[in-house]
Amino acid sequence: MQYKTVLSDAADAETRAAIVAPLVAYNDAQVGAGDHRPLVIRVEDEGGQVVGGLWGYTRYGWLYTELLAAPSGARGLGLGRRLMEEAEAEARTRGCVGAWVDTHSFQAPRFYESLGYQRFGELDDYPPGHSRIFYRKSLQD
């Protein structure tokens, strides 16, 4: 069979699903099903509009927090901590042994460290002049 490559800047869900499918099949064949489950906590304003929250998933016994955002008026009031603690509690309920997250040096390294996360990696100059930092935390008592 002949294959061709097609370069694009369009990131549609159908193409992503087609790319992910063989990866999931290979991974499952190697280590078993990862039990991927989304974990989403919405922050809503008084009108019910989503104004922030936490977006992540659990897989292979770990929680990954992809996005964490608090509305600007709620920053510094403990909402981020509450979101992380709620996500970690749910991850424990799902049987997770650990959690991981990444952030930029100009975003929230001290916040994650205050929650007990430990740095395990760093990508310098991403973006230039800053870095992307990777954290993990054990969820076992």
Side-chain angles (χ1 to χ4, degrees), residues 39-91:
L39 197 157
V40 178
I41 306 169
R42 297 187 329 242
V43 173
E44 298 178 354
D45 66 12
E46 294 169 346
Q49 294 295 311
V50 177
V51 294
L54 182 146
W55 185 276
Y57 58 82
T58 56
R59 180 173 31 199
Y60 299 123
W62 283 75
L63 163 66
Y64 171 59
T65 300
E66 183 178 355
L67 303 170
L68 177 67
S72 59
R75 291 192 186 129
L77 301 178
L79 180 59
R81 176 176 293 275
R82 191 167 106 205
L83 288 166
M84 291 298 292
E85 289 172 350
E86 190 173 333
E88 290 170 7
E90 174 61 19

Side-chain angles (χ1 to χ4, degrees), residues 13-138:
E14 183 179 311
T15 298
R16 186 180 194 286
I19 293 170
V20 166
L23 291 171
V24 169
Y26 178 82
N27 291 350
D28 287 354
Q30 301 303 308
V31 298
D35 192 26
H36 177 94
R37 287 180 61 195
L39 197 157
V40 178
I41 306 169
R42 297 187 329 242
V43 173
E44 298 178 354
D45 66 12
E46 294 169 346
Q49 294 295 311
V50 177
V51 294
L54 182 146
W55 185 276
Y57 58 82
T58 56
R59 180 173 31 199
Y60 299 123
W62 283 75
L63 163 66
Y64 171 59
T65 300
E66 183 178 355
L67 303 170
L68 177 67
S72 59
R75 291 192 186 129
L77 301 178
L79 180 59
R81 176 176 293 275
R82 191 167 106 205
L83 288 166
M84 291 298 292
E85 289 172 350
E86 190 173 333
E88 290 170 7
E90 174 61 19
R92 284 185 187 93
T93 298
R94 296 180 185 189
C96 290
V97 298
W100 70 285
V101 64
D102 59 90
T103 189
H104 291 283
S105 56
F106 58 87
Q107 288 177 324
R110 285 179 282 166
F111 170 73
Y112 292 112
E113 291 166 2
S114 76
L115 294 174
Y117 283 76
Q118 297 176 325
R119 184 182 302 216
F120 72 90
E122 187 167 351
L123 179 62
D124 293 327
D125 281 329
Y126 186 79
H130 302 279
S131 61
R132 188 168 184 175
I133 306 167
F134 299 84
Y135 289 96
R136 69 176 167 218
K137 177 180 180 178
S138 173

